[in-house]
């Protein structure tokens, strides 16, 4: 099973971008613990180091649905801003949403058209004499890259595939993000007051809220025990 997931700070301030980066780290750690594979499809860094505006993940695994049940929605961090120490606000929200009805681009090397050319500029005896440079074009998207890093045509071809894939996926995700930006903003406003998870402090400690039946049963037992003691 595969799921496309978005972790986003929405239009939140720098503090929300910091929370998004911390949530991503915790999210990926838990994914590994649940034997869920992940691939970072697109990442937009925040306005400061160690901050994150958004990241799109492709998850693969058998237990994705129960795993995501405790993550999808808004996530709250309770703490004072380290960027604006005099700021009174202490609750910061980000969103984690599934991108439904979205088909990923099936990037296949069979769809790449390669053309060789002479390298441009200075760089040795082979330059401008041997066709070592490579131009690669992804036919479905029309995206193209030109690679002349190496004197080896084979090495340039390998590099062109890597760079072309990165370019195609980046353009695709940018278009997708622009399309869904308003949707994320509305979702965050609706779900902001009911976070699925809450963290606090600079150590980003999870605030656990045990609602299991076992705990409720133990509470009931203690209440009945105290009631019998009162009768005696």
């Amino acid at each position: 099973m595969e799921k496309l997931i978005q972790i986003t700070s929405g239009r939140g301030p720098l503090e929300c971008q910091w929370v998004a980066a911390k949530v991503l780290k915790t999210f990926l750690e838990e994914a590994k613990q649940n034997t869920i594979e992940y691939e970072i499809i697109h990442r937009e860094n925040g306005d400061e180091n160690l901050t994150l505006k958004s990241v799109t993940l492709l998850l693969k695994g058998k237990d994705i649905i129960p795993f995501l049940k405790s993550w999808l929605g808004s996530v709250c961090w309770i703490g004072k801003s380290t960027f604006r120490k005099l700021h009174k606000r202490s609750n910061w929200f980000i969103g984690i949403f599934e991108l439904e009805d979205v088909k990923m681009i099936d990037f296949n090397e069979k769809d790449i058209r390669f053309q060789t050319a002479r390298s441009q500029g200075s760089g040795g005896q082979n330059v401008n004499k041997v066709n070592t440079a490579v131009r690669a074009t992804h036919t479905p998207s029309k995206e193209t890259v030109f690679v002349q890093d190496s004197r080896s045509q084979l090495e340039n071809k390998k590099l062109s595939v890597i760079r072309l894939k990165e370019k195609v996926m980046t353009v695709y995700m940018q278009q997708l993000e622009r399309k869904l930006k308003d949707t994320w903003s509305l979702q965050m406003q609706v779900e902001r007051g009911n976070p699925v998870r809450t963290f606090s402090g600079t150590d980003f400690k999870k605030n656990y809220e045990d609602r299991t039946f076992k705990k409720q049963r133990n509470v009931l037992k203690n209440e009945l025990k105290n009631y019998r003691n009162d009768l005696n």
Side-chain angles (χ1 to χ4, degrees):
M1 178 178 288
E2 296 183 354
K3 293 285 186 181
L4 198 61
I5 303 300
Q6 176 77 22
I7 300 177
T8 174
S9 61
R11 296 176 181 173
L14 189 56
E15 290 83 0
C16 293
Q17 296 176 19
W18 179 83
V19 175
K22 300 293 284 187
V23 166
L24 173 62
K25 180 180 178 182
T26 304
F27 184 92
L28 295 183
E29 288 174 352
E30 288 194 18
K32 289 180 181 178
Q33 294 171 6
N34 287 272
T35 63
I36 295 174
E37 298 179 7
Y38 66 86
E39 179 183 354
I40 296 179
I41 303 300
H42 183 257
R43 177 180 184 133
E44 184 179 0
N45 292 326
D47 297 322
E48 294 286 347
N49 290 335
L50 304 178
T51 64
L52 179 70
K53 289 185 177 180
S54 68
V55 62
T56 303
L57 303 167
L58 179 64
L59 303 182
K60 298 179 182 180
K62 296 180 179 179
D63 301 321
I64 293 179
I65 292 179
F67 170 72
L68 289 178
K69 192 174 181 180
S70 65
W71 276 108
L72 294 180
S74 63
V75 176
C76 175
W77 175 69
I78 302 174
K80 293 296 182 181
S81 171
T82 58
F83 302 101
R84 296 178 288 176
K85 295 183 179 180
L86 298 179
H87 201 284
K88 295 181 179 180
R89 180 177 167 184
S90 59
N91 291 344
W92 311 91
F93 292 87
I94 70 161
I96 302 181
F97 307 112
E98 179 184 350
L99 304 183
E100 299 178 305
D101 301 324
V102 176
K103 292 184 179 180
M104 290 297 299
I105 290 181
D106 185 14
F107 187 90
N108 195 318
E109 290 190 32
K110 294 180 180 180
D111 295 326
I112 301 177
R113 186 177 74 252
F114 297 99
Q115 294 175 300
T116 58
R118 293 180 181 179
S119 296
Q120 302 171 357
S122 59
Q125 294 180 352
N126 288 335
V127 173
N128 297 325
K129 294 182 180 180
V130 181
N131 292 346
T132 57
V134 174
R135 184 182 302 279
T137 303
H138 183 243
T139 305
S141 66
K142 303 294 193 299
E143 296 294 335
T144 183
V145 296
F146 183 78
V147 180
Q148 58 176 1
D149 298 44
S150 172
R151 294 184 181 181
S152 166
Q153 185 184 113
L154 181 60
E155 289 300 316
N156 285 333
K157 186 176 181 180
K158 291 179 180 179
L159 284 173
S160 71
V161 173
I162 295 172
R163 293 178 184 175
L164 187 57
K165 182 178 181 179
E166 291 176 348
K167 186 175 183 180
V168 169
M169 295 309 299
T170 297
V171 171
Y172 171 74
M173 293 312 303
Q174 287 174 346
Q175 293 173 349
L176 181 63
E177 286 180 354
R178 285 195 295 268
K179 181 179 179 180
L180 297 178
K181 192 172 183 179
D182 292 337
T183 303
W184 294 329
S185 180
L186 289 174
Q187 284 179 310
M188 289 187 69
Q189 289 177 10
V190 172
E191 301 178 7
R192 184 172 177 178
N194 186 29
V196 293
R197 291 204 182 194
T198 302
F199 298 87
S200 62
T202 54
D203 58 350
F204 215 71
K205 182 179 180 180
K206 180 180 178 181
N207 294 351
Y208 288 95
E209 187 174 350
D210 195 343
R211 298 180 180 178
T212 62
F213 176 74
K214 183 177 179 181
K215 181 177 180 180
Q216 293 174 357
R217 185 176 60 185
N218 289 335
V219 170
L220 181 60
K221 282 183 177 180
N222 290 331
E223 289 178 350
L224 291 174
K225 183 178 179 180
N226 293 332
Y227 178 71
R228 285 196 297 267
N229 291 336
D230 291 339
L231 290 177
N232 296 330

